[in-house]
Amino acid sequence: MTKILLLGGTGDALRIARQLTSVDVYSLAGLGKVPDDLPCSVRVGGFGGSEGMARYIADEEIGLVIDATHPYAAQISANAVNAARHAGVPCWVLRRPAWQPRAGDDWRMIDGWDELTMALAPFRRPLFTLGREPLSHLDEIPPHQFWLVRCLDSHEDTERARIIAARGPFTLEGERALFALQHVDVVVSKNSGGSATEAKLEVARERRLPVVMLRRPSLPAADREFESVAELLDALHLSR
Ligand code: NAP
């Protein structure tokens, strides 16, 4: 049976991992929870770049790499394509379709922190949903702003920022309550796609708030690309 290396760290990857077998390996960077109830083995930590991953693929006799990492985890995705090519095995990737703005939405597309700072200048109460990056900019908050930073990491609040340690999925009711209570006037988001963290966009729409959206990184093409877990699992069952 083809031995699979599944690169994860997302809810979708975990759903795929639950369908693997004891010969397969689920790989995590080591930033979050490590599941202990999977039918496959789990390895944690980096490979040492694409060369390290290529060596791992050869040593472990991996026959298929599946990249189900987050759409903004650009380095590991590029490494997966390059390592698989180098090792001579196929690389499949799961790419959730990006969210699309609807009529009336006010999305302001940005590419990095400098553009983000400029885009936020007119606002007072931004809600950051980008992960931990804003935590390293807490001493740069302009005097007219108070930041809400929602991420997985716990961090002490400051005079100018409230840190909300939370993991999705987030409900519409919960997001409505948060926006109202905290007087959010702009949302900062990655375009993650999927339903788990989409409710904030619906609430921004209801309250006619702008969304400052970080563009997705561009990634090298894999051998096969899938838009949903179901589609990928179907292909996997057919190929095994
Ligand atoms: P990244 O910048 O693409 O990767 C940085 C390095 O971390 C990689 O070069 C690799 O180290 C190691 N790494 C990442 N994912 C790995 C995996 N599944 N297994 C083994 N090593 C891994 O990634 P990131 O943006 O820091 O994200 C890290 C992890 O968090 C990813 O697995 C991703 O799926 C998950 N995640 C990311 C986001 C996000 O917004 N970026 C959101 C939710 C979840 P080596 O080069 O040493 O192999």
Side-chain angles (χ1 to χ4, degrees), residues 3-95:
K3 183 172 177 179
I4 293 170
L5 171 62
L6 171 66
L7 304 169
T10 61
D12 284 347
L14 192 57
R15 286 173 59 203
I16 298 168
R18 296 201 186 286
Q19 303 302 317
L20 296 183
T21 70
S22 58
V23 301
D24 304 316
V25 184
Y26 180 46
S27 175
L28 290 166
L31 305 175
K33 273 195 307 195
V34 178
D36 58 4
D37 60 347
L38 294 180
C40 56
S41 34
V42 179
R43 69 165 295 288
V44 180
F47 295 91
S50 67
E51 297 84 1
M53 198 193 296
R55 264 194 310 277
Y56 180 90
I57 291 170
D59 291 349
E60 296 295 323
E61 301 181 338
I62 300 292
L64 170 65
V65 176
I66 300 179
D67 172 15
T69 59
H70 191 269
Y72 286 73
Q75 187 62 59
I76 189 73
S77 293
N79 289 354
V81 167
N82 293 331
R85 190 170 300 145
H86 193 262
V89 304
C91 179
W92 294 3
V93 65
L94 176 66
R95 288 260 172 276

